[in-house]
Amino acid sequence: MKDPGRVLPRSIVISVLGIMVIYLLMNIGVLGVVPWQEASKSDSVASLVLERTWGKTAADITTVLILVTAFGSVFAGLLGGSRVPYNAAKDGVFFKPFGRLHPRHRFPHVALLAIGLVTAVGTFFTLTTVISVLLAVFVIIQGIAQVVALTVLRRVQPDLERPYKMWLYPLPSLIALVGWGYIYISAGHTPIIFSIVVLVAGVLAFLGWARAEAEWPFGPVPQASASA
C-alpha cells in the first residue's frame, strides 16, 4: 500500500493541471461569445456572456447568484480565517487571547473580531487595489519566504529526513524566486508598500509574542520536526 503522504505531490500536479484546463476552456468559451476588448471593460464577464446568449433575465439572475456567492465566500473566509490564529494560540505559538471561545456560542470570538477588522480595512480601497495588495502580501510572505526558508533549512539541518526530493536543486528554487520576484515588482508601488507594512507588523507581532513566551530569538533555537 502506498504511503498517502508520498502520493500527495502527484495529486497536487493533477489538480493544478485540471484547473488550468478548466480555466482555458472557460476563457475560450467567453472569447467565442464576447471580444476580449469588450470583456476587459466589463464588470461581470459571466453576466455579459449570458446576456448575449440567453438574454437579460438570465444575466440578472447570474449577477444575483454571483453576489450571493461573494457574500458566502466572505462569510466562510471570516469563519475559516479566524481558526488560524485560534488554533495557533491553542498550540502555544500565538497570543493566548486568540485562543478564547465565546462563553455561550463556543466560537473563537476574539480571533473572529480581529480578522473582521483586518478585512474591513479593504472596504476603503478599490477591488483592484485589494487584489493587488493581497497578491503582493502572498508573494512576499509565502512565495518568496518559502524559497528562503527551504534554502536555510537545507543548510542548517542537512541531515533532516526529507520524503520528497527537489530535482536539480537549487535550480527550481532559483527559478521560482525569480518568478515570484517579477510578480512582486509588477504589483505596483501601493501594493508593495502595503505588503511591507503587513510584513513589518507581522514581524513586530512575532517578536512581541516571542518576548512574552521566551521563545526564539529570546529563547532556545527551535528544532525542525516536520519534513521539508
Side-chain angles (χ1 to χ4, degrees), residues 9-33:
R10 184 183 301 172
S11 66
I12 294 176
V13 172
I14 294 175
S15 299
V16 171
L17 293 177
I19 293 174
M20 289 172 59
V21 172
I22 292 174
Y23 269 93
L24 177 61
L25 294 176
M26 182 182 69
N27 282 280
I28 291 175
V30 170
L31 294 177
V33 177

Side-chain angles (χ1 to χ4, degrees), residues 67-119:
L67 293 175
V68 172
T69 303
F71 177 79
S73 177
V74 172
F75 185 72
L78 285 174
L79 294 179
S82 65
R83 293 287 173 172
V84 176
Y86 166 74
N87 288 319
K90 297 294 289 185
D91 291 340
V93 293
F94 202 58
F95 297 104
K96 294 179 180 179
F98 287 87
R100 298 175 183 171
L101 291 175
H102 192 276
R104 180 181 178 184
H105 301 291
R106 310 301 295 171
F107 67 92
H109 59 294
V110 176
L112 183 60
L113 287 173
I115 295 296
L117 290 174
V118 173
T119 304

Side-chain angles (χ1 to χ4, degrees), residues 198-212:
V198 171
L199 179 62
V200 172
V203 171
L204 293 177
F206 168 77
L207 292 176
W209 169 83
R211 181 79 175 183

Side-chain angles (χ1 to χ4, degrees), residues 56-177:
K56 191 175 186 305
T57 301
D60 292 339
I61 294 175
T62 302
T63 302
V64 173
L65 293 176
I66 291 174
L67 293 175
V68 172
T69 303
F71 177 79
S73 177
V74 172
F75 185 72
L78 285 174
L79 294 179
S82 65
R83 293 287 173 172
V84 176
Y86 166 74
N87 288 319
K90 297 294 289 185
D91 291 340
V93 293
F94 202 58
F95 297 104
K96 294 179 180 179
F98 287 87
R100 298 175 183 171
L101 291 175
H102 192 276
R104 180 181 178 184
H105 301 291
R106 310 301 295 171
F107 67 92
H109 59 294
V110 176
L112 183 60
L113 287 173
I115 295 296
L117 290 174
V118 173
T119 304
V121 175
T123 61
F124 295 98
F125 305 93
T126 64
L127 180 60
T128 301
T129 301
V130 171
I131 293 176
S132 298
V133 171
L134 290 176
L135 177 61
V137 171
F138 170 83
V139 168
I140 193 173
I141 293 180
Q142 184 168 344
I144 295 177
Q146 283 181 343
V147 176
V148 175
L150 172 65
T151 305
V152 171
L153 186 59
R154 277 180 170 267
R155 289 183 175 275
V156 175
Q157 299 190 35
D159 298 327
L160 185 67
E161 182 183 358
R162 294 176 171 86
Y164 309 115
K165 304 299 181 182
M166 179 183 291
W167 294 348
L168 302 177
Y169 176 84
L171 182 59
S173 293
L174 295 176
I175 295 175
L177 184 62

